[in-house]
Short mmCIF file of all heavy atoms in Angstrom, two decimals:
data_model
loop_
_atom_site.label_atom_id
_atom_site.label_comp_id
_atom_site.label_asym_id
_atom_site.label_seq_id
_atom_site.Cartn_x
_atom_site.Cartn_y
_atom_site.Cartn_z
N LEU A 264 97.21 45.54 68.77
CA LEU A 264 97.64 46.21 69.95
C LEU A 264 96.55 46.10 71.08
O LEU A 264 96.94 45.79 72.23
CB LEU A 264 97.98 47.66 69.73
CG LEU A 264 98.87 48.43 70.64
CD1 LEU A 264 100.21 47.69 70.91
CD2 LEU A 264 99.08 49.83 70.13
N GLY A 265 95.27 46.30 70.78
CA GLY A 265 94.28 46.11 71.76
C GLY A 265 94.15 44.67 72.25
O GLY A 265 94.00 44.47 73.50
N THR A 266 94.33 43.75 71.32
CA THR A 266 94.29 42.33 71.72
C THR A 266 95.36 42.02 72.62
O THR A 266 95.14 41.30 73.72
CB THR A 266 94.35 41.44 70.45
OG1 THR A 266 93.21 41.77 69.63
CG2 THR A 266 94.28 40.02 70.80
N VAL A 267 96.65 42.31 72.35
CA VAL A 267 97.72 41.97 73.19
C VAL A 267 97.72 42.68 74.49
O VAL A 267 98.13 42.16 75.55
CB VAL A 267 99.08 42.18 72.36
CG1 VAL A 267 99.46 43.59 72.29
CG2 VAL A 267 100.22 41.36 73.19
N LEU A 268 97.30 43.89 74.51
CA LEU A 268 97.15 44.58 75.86
C LEU A 268 96.17 43.93 76.71
O LEU A 268 96.40 43.85 77.92
CB LEU A 268 96.85 46.03 75.54
CG LEU A 268 97.92 47.00 75.08
CD1 LEU A 268 97.44 48.40 74.68
CD2 LEU A 268 99.10 47.08 76.13
N ASN A 269 95.09 43.36 76.12
CA ASN A 269 94.16 42.71 76.93
C ASN A 269 94.78 41.41 77.55
O ASN A 269 94.51 40.92 78.57
CB ASN A 269 92.95 42.34 76.17
CG ASN A 269 91.89 43.50 76.12
OD1 ASN A 269 91.94 44.46 77.00
ND2 ASN A 269 90.98 43.48 75.14
N GLU A 270 95.59 40.78 76.72
CA GLU A 270 96.22 39.52 77.21
C GLU A 270 97.24 39.90 78.28
O GLU A 270 97.40 39.16 79.27
CB GLU A 270 96.95 38.82 75.98
CG GLU A 270 96.01 38.22 75.05
CD GLU A 270 96.72 37.51 73.91
OE1 GLU A 270 97.73 36.92 74.12
OE2 GLU A 270 96.19 37.58 72.72
N VAL A 271 98.02 41.07 78.17
CA VAL A 271 98.86 41.51 79.13
C VAL A 271 98.06 41.78 80.50
O VAL A 271 98.50 41.43 81.53
CB VAL A 271 99.72 42.78 78.78
CG1 VAL A 271 100.44 43.35 79.92
CG2 VAL A 271 100.60 42.43 77.62
N GLN A 272 96.88 42.44 80.36
CA GLN A 272 96.17 42.76 81.46
C GLN A 272 95.70 41.50 82.22
O GLN A 272 95.74 41.42 83.41
CB GLN A 272 94.90 43.59 81.04
CG GLN A 272 94.13 44.16 82.19
CD GLN A 272 93.10 43.27 82.88
OE1 GLN A 272 92.65 42.43 82.20
NE2 GLN A 272 92.90 43.48 84.19
N GLU A 273 95.25 40.49 81.50
CA GLU A 273 94.80 39.24 82.15
C GLU A 273 95.97 38.57 82.74
O GLU A 273 95.87 38.01 83.95
CB GLU A 273 94.20 38.35 81.09
CG GLU A 273 93.69 37.02 81.54
CD GLU A 273 93.06 36.17 80.52
OE1 GLU A 273 92.89 36.66 79.37
OE2 GLU A 273 92.66 34.97 80.83
N TYR A 274 97.08 38.52 82.11
CA TYR A 274 98.37 37.87 82.61
C TYR A 274 98.74 38.60 83.94
O TYR A 274 99.08 37.85 84.88
CB TYR A 274 99.43 37.93 81.58
CG TYR A 274 100.81 37.50 81.94
CD1 TYR A 274 101.08 36.14 82.21
CD2 TYR A 274 101.90 38.42 82.01
CE1 TYR A 274 102.39 35.74 82.54
CE2 TYR A 274 103.10 38.01 82.40
CZ TYR A 274 103.35 36.68 82.64
OH TYR A 274 104.60 36.22 83.03
N THR A 275 98.76 39.84 83.93
CA THR A 275 99.32 40.55 85.13
C THR A 275 98.21 40.56 86.26
O THR A 275 98.55 40.53 87.46
CB THR A 275 99.68 41.96 84.79
OG1 THR A 275 98.63 42.71 84.22
CG2 THR A 275 100.94 41.97 83.83
N ASP A 276 96.97 40.59 85.89
CA ASP A 276 95.99 40.69 86.85
C ASP A 276 95.93 39.29 87.68
O ASP A 276 95.60 39.32 88.85
CB ASP A 276 94.60 40.87 86.21
CG ASP A 276 93.43 40.95 87.21
OD1 ASP A 276 93.54 41.92 88.00
OD2 ASP A 276 92.47 40.22 87.06
N GLU A 277 96.24 38.21 87.04
CA GLU A 277 96.33 36.92 87.72
C GLU A 277 97.67 36.62 88.35
O GLU A 277 97.94 35.58 88.90
CB GLU A 277 96.05 35.82 86.71
CG GLU A 277 94.59 35.93 86.13
CD GLU A 277 94.39 34.92 84.98
OE1 GLU A 277 95.37 34.17 84.61
OE2 GLU A 277 93.23 34.67 84.58
N ASP A 278 98.52 37.73 88.26
CA ASP A 278 99.94 37.55 88.81
C ASP A 278 100.71 36.32 88.32
O ASP A 278 101.48 35.68 88.98
CB ASP A 278 99.88 37.52 90.40
CG ASP A 278 99.46 38.83 91.00
OD1 ASP A 278 99.69 39.87 90.24
OD2 ASP A 278 98.96 38.76 92.12
N SER A 279 100.43 35.90 87.05
CA SER A 279 100.96 34.73 86.44
C SER A 279 102.49 34.93 86.36
O SER A 279 103.19 33.86 86.29
CB SER A 279 100.40 34.43 85.04
OG SER A 279 98.98 34.22 85.22
N TRP A 280 102.99 36.13 86.24
CA TRP A 280 104.43 36.42 86.11
C TRP A 280 105.18 35.88 87.26
O TRP A 280 106.34 35.60 87.17
CB TRP A 280 104.74 37.81 85.81
CG TRP A 280 104.02 38.69 86.79
CD1 TRP A 280 102.77 39.32 86.79
CD2 TRP A 280 104.55 39.24 88.12
NE1 TRP A 280 102.47 40.08 87.87
CE2 TRP A 280 103.54 40.03 88.65
CE3 TRP A 280 105.75 39.02 88.77
CZ2 TRP A 280 103.74 40.65 89.92
CZ3 TRP A 280 105.90 39.65 89.96
CH2 TRP A 280 104.97 40.46 90.58
N GLN A 281 104.55 35.81 88.42
CA GLN A 281 105.23 35.35 89.60
C GLN A 281 105.57 33.76 89.57
O GLN A 281 106.41 33.26 90.24
CB GLN A 281 104.34 35.59 90.86
CG GLN A 281 104.21 36.99 91.14
CD GLN A 281 103.44 37.27 92.39
OE1 GLN A 281 102.94 36.29 93.14
NE2 GLN A 281 103.27 38.51 92.81
N THR A 282 104.72 32.98 88.81
CA THR A 282 104.94 31.60 88.72
C THR A 282 105.79 31.09 87.41
O THR A 282 106.30 30.01 87.50
CB THR A 282 103.60 30.86 88.73
OG1 THR A 282 102.81 31.30 87.62
CG2 THR A 282 102.85 31.10 89.97
N ASP A 283 105.78 31.98 86.45
CA ASP A 283 106.51 31.50 85.20
C ASP A 283 107.76 32.35 85.02
O ASP A 283 108.35 32.29 83.86
CB ASP A 283 105.66 31.55 83.94
CG ASP A 283 105.28 32.98 83.52
OD1 ASP A 283 105.57 33.94 84.16
OD2 ASP A 283 104.70 33.06 82.41
N ASP A 284 108.17 33.18 85.92
CA ASP A 284 109.34 34.03 85.83
C ASP A 284 109.28 34.88 84.53
O ASP A 284 110.30 34.96 83.83
CB ASP A 284 110.63 33.08 85.83
CG ASP A 284 111.90 33.96 86.05
OD1 ASP A 284 111.81 35.08 86.70
OD2 ASP A 284 113.04 33.50 85.54
N TYR A 285 108.22 35.43 84.33
CA TYR A 285 107.99 36.39 83.16
C TYR A 285 108.07 35.82 81.82
O TYR A 285 108.11 36.46 80.74
CB TYR A 285 108.92 37.64 83.33
CG TYR A 285 108.82 38.44 84.50
CD1 TYR A 285 109.79 38.41 85.54
CD2 TYR A 285 107.67 39.36 84.61
CE1 TYR A 285 109.72 39.25 86.57
CE2 TYR A 285 107.65 40.15 85.77
CZ TYR A 285 108.60 40.07 86.70
OH TYR A 285 108.49 40.83 87.78
N ALA A 286 107.98 34.35 81.78
CA ALA A 286 108.14 33.75 80.39
C ALA A 286 107.10 34.30 79.43
O ALA A 286 107.39 34.73 78.36
CB ALA A 286 108.11 32.33 80.58
N LYS A 287 105.76 34.20 79.77
CA LYS A 287 104.82 34.64 78.88
C LYS A 287 104.79 36.13 78.78
O LYS A 287 104.54 36.73 77.59
CB LYS A 287 103.37 34.27 79.43
CG LYS A 287 102.27 34.66 78.47
CD LYS A 287 100.96 34.06 78.89
CE LYS A 287 99.87 34.49 77.92
NZ LYS A 287 98.53 34.01 78.30
N GLY A 288 105.27 36.90 79.80
CA GLY A 288 105.39 38.35 79.72
C GLY A 288 106.36 38.75 78.61
O GLY A 288 106.16 39.74 77.89
N LYS A 289 107.43 37.96 78.45
CA LYS A 289 108.43 38.15 77.41
C LYS A 289 107.80 38.01 75.99
O LYS A 289 108.02 38.84 75.10
CB LYS A 289 109.63 37.33 77.57
CG LYS A 289 110.46 37.63 78.87
CD LYS A 289 111.58 36.70 79.10
CE LYS A 289 112.31 36.98 80.31
NZ LYS A 289 113.33 36.00 80.68
N GLU A 290 106.97 36.96 75.86
CA GLU A 290 106.33 36.71 74.58
C GLU A 290 105.37 37.87 74.27
O GLU A 290 105.28 38.33 73.10
CB GLU A 290 105.62 35.39 74.65
CG GLU A 290 106.47 34.17 74.77
CD GLU A 290 105.71 32.78 74.98
OE1 GLU A 290 104.45 32.93 74.97
OE2 GLU A 290 106.34 31.83 75.31
N LEU A 291 104.59 38.27 75.25
CA LEU A 291 103.52 39.30 75.02
C LEU A 291 104.33 40.62 74.70
O LEU A 291 103.87 41.39 73.85
CB LEU A 291 102.71 39.43 76.31
CG LEU A 291 101.80 38.28 76.60
CD1 LEU A 291 101.09 38.45 77.89
CD2 LEU A 291 100.72 38.11 75.45
N HIS A 292 105.48 40.84 75.41
CA HIS A 292 106.16 42.12 75.14
C HIS A 292 106.68 42.17 73.69
O HIS A 292 106.70 43.27 73.00
CB HIS A 292 107.36 42.22 76.04
CG HIS A 292 108.18 43.47 75.86
ND1 HIS A 292 107.68 44.75 76.21
CD2 HIS A 292 109.35 43.68 75.21
CE1 HIS A 292 108.59 45.73 75.82
NE2 HIS A 292 109.62 45.06 75.22
N ALA A 293 107.07 40.98 73.07
CA ALA A 293 107.49 41.03 71.76
C ALA A 293 106.41 41.44 70.78
O ALA A 293 106.69 42.26 69.81
CB ALA A 293 108.04 39.60 71.35
N ARG A 294 105.24 41.10 71.10
CA ARG A 294 104.04 41.48 70.37
C ARG A 294 103.78 42.95 70.59
O ARG A 294 103.42 43.69 69.53
CB ARG A 294 102.86 40.53 70.60
CG ARG A 294 102.97 39.17 70.08
CD ARG A 294 101.94 38.20 70.67
NE ARG A 294 100.61 38.75 70.30
CZ ARG A 294 99.46 38.34 70.95
NH1 ARG A 294 99.59 37.39 71.84
NH2 ARG A 294 98.30 38.87 70.56
N VAL A 295 103.75 43.38 71.81
CA VAL A 295 103.51 44.82 72.04
C VAL A 295 104.49 45.57 71.32
O VAL A 295 104.16 46.66 70.69
CB VAL A 295 103.61 45.05 73.63
CG1 VAL A 295 103.55 46.54 73.91
CG2 VAL A 295 102.44 44.39 74.33
N TRP A 296 105.75 45.30 71.39
CA TRP A 296 106.84 46.08 70.82
C TRP A 296 106.69 46.10 69.30
O TRP A 296 106.84 47.19 68.69
CB TRP A 296 108.17 45.57 71.16
CG TRP A 296 109.23 46.43 70.61
CD1 TRP A 296 110.11 46.09 69.63
CD2 TRP A 296 109.62 47.68 71.15
NE1 TRP A 296 111.02 47.18 69.41
CE2 TRP A 296 110.74 48.20 70.37
CE3 TRP A 296 109.19 48.55 72.15
CZ2 TRP A 296 111.39 49.32 70.55
CZ3 TRP A 296 109.80 49.74 72.38
CH2 TRP A 296 110.88 50.19 71.55
N ALA A 297 106.38 44.94 68.60
CA ALA A 297 106.18 44.87 67.21
C ALA A 297 105.04 45.79 66.77
O ALA A 297 105.10 46.53 65.72
CB ALA A 297 105.91 43.42 66.76
N SER A 298 103.98 45.78 67.51
CA SER A 298 102.83 46.64 67.18
C SER A 298 103.14 48.10 67.40
O SER A 298 102.79 48.93 66.60
CB SER A 298 101.65 46.27 68.05
OG SER A 298 101.17 44.96 67.76
N CYS A 299 103.85 48.42 68.50
CA CYS A 299 104.19 49.85 68.81
C CYS A 299 105.05 50.44 67.75
O CYS A 299 104.90 51.61 67.40
CB CYS A 299 104.88 49.97 70.20
SG CYS A 299 103.72 49.87 71.51
N THR A 300 106.03 49.73 67.29
CA THR A 300 106.96 50.23 66.23
C THR A 300 106.19 50.64 64.94
O THR A 300 106.52 51.59 64.25
CB THR A 300 108.09 49.28 65.87
OG1 THR A 300 107.54 47.99 65.56
CG2 THR A 300 108.98 49.05 67.13
N GLN A 301 105.10 49.94 64.65
CA GLN A 301 104.27 50.31 63.45
C GLN A 301 103.30 51.38 63.79
O GLN A 301 103.03 52.21 63.00
CB GLN A 301 103.48 49.02 62.94
CG GLN A 301 104.38 47.90 62.50
CD GLN A 301 103.46 46.76 62.05
OE1 GLN A 301 102.75 46.80 61.02
NE2 GLN A 301 103.51 45.71 62.84
N TYR A 302 102.74 51.28 64.99
CA TYR A 302 101.68 52.18 65.43
C TYR A 302 102.16 53.67 65.49
O TYR A 302 101.41 54.57 65.18
CB TYR A 302 101.19 51.75 66.80
CG TYR A 302 100.10 52.58 67.39
CD1 TYR A 302 98.90 52.82 66.77
CD2 TYR A 302 100.26 53.15 68.73
CE1 TYR A 302 97.90 53.66 67.39
CE2 TYR A 302 99.32 53.94 69.27
CZ TYR A 302 98.17 54.10 68.63
OH TYR A 302 97.22 54.94 69.22
N GLU A 303 103.44 53.78 65.88
CA GLU A 303 103.93 55.17 66.09
C GLU A 303 103.78 55.96 64.76
O GLU A 303 103.28 57.13 64.83
CB GLU A 303 105.45 55.03 66.49
CG GLU A 303 105.97 56.47 66.84
CD GLU A 303 107.40 56.40 67.55
OE1 GLU A 303 107.90 55.28 67.60
OE2 GLU A 303 107.87 57.48 67.94
N GLN A 304 104.24 55.44 63.68
CA GLN A 304 104.13 56.18 62.44
C GLN A 304 102.69 56.12 61.83
O GLN A 304 102.09 57.13 61.31
CB GLN A 304 105.12 55.57 61.37
CG GLN A 304 105.16 56.35 60.03
CD GLN A 304 105.31 57.79 60.16
OE1 GLN A 304 106.32 58.27 60.87
NE2 GLN A 304 104.52 58.60 59.62
N LEU A 305 102.12 54.89 61.73
CA LEU A 305 100.84 54.80 61.21
C LEU A 305 99.74 55.55 62.00
O LEU A 305 98.80 56.17 61.40
CB LEU A 305 100.45 53.29 61.07
CG LEU A 305 101.20 52.40 60.07
CD1 LEU A 305 100.93 50.96 60.31
CD2 LEU A 305 101.01 52.96 58.66
N GLY A 306 99.90 55.48 63.33
CA GLY A 306 98.94 56.20 64.12
C GLY A 306 99.05 57.76 63.91
O GLY A 306 98.07 58.49 63.75
N ALA A 307 100.28 58.26 63.80
CA ALA A 307 100.49 59.72 63.53
C ALA A 307 99.92 60.04 62.21
O ALA A 307 99.32 61.17 62.11
CB ALA A 307 101.99 60.00 63.58
N ASP A 308 100.10 59.24 61.19
CA ASP A 308 99.58 59.47 59.88
C ASP A 308 98.06 59.67 59.86
O ASP A 308 97.41 60.56 59.30
CB ASP A 308 100.07 58.49 58.91
CG ASP A 308 99.67 58.87 57.45
OD1 ASP A 308 99.87 60.02 57.01
OD2 ASP A 308 99.07 58.01 56.70
N PHE A 309 97.42 58.63 60.49
CA PHE A 309 95.97 58.59 60.59
C PHE A 309 95.42 59.80 61.39
O PHE A 309 94.50 60.50 60.90
CB PHE A 309 95.53 57.42 61.27
CG PHE A 309 93.99 57.32 61.68
CD1 PHE A 309 93.07 57.16 60.63
CD2 PHE A 309 93.60 57.43 62.99
CE1 PHE A 309 91.73 57.14 60.87
CE2 PHE A 309 92.23 57.38 63.29
CZ PHE A 309 91.29 57.21 62.23
N VAL A 310 96.12 60.20 62.53
CA VAL A 310 95.61 61.33 63.27
C VAL A 310 95.86 62.64 62.43
O VAL A 310 94.97 63.45 62.48
CB VAL A 310 96.49 61.42 64.57
CG1 VAL A 310 96.43 62.85 65.18
CG2 VAL A 310 96.02 60.36 65.49
#
Side-chain angles (χ1 to χ4, degrees):
L264 200 53
T266 299
V267 70
L268 285 172
N269 278 340
E270 292 180 37
V271 170
Q272 191 278 330
E273 182 178 355
Y274 173 69
T275 56
D276 186 57
E277 296 174 352
D278 292 337
S279 301
W280 50 272
Q281 294 184 358
T282 58
D283 73 351
D284 193 27
Y285 297 107
K287 185 175 180 180
K289 293 175 183 178
E290 294 175 5
L291 293 173
H292 178 74
R294 290 169 58 193
V295 172
W296 185 254
S298 295
C299 280
T300 53
Q301 297 179 71
Y302 178 58
E303 186 169 7
Q304 181 56 51
L305 294 171
D308 185 48
F309 172 71
V310 165

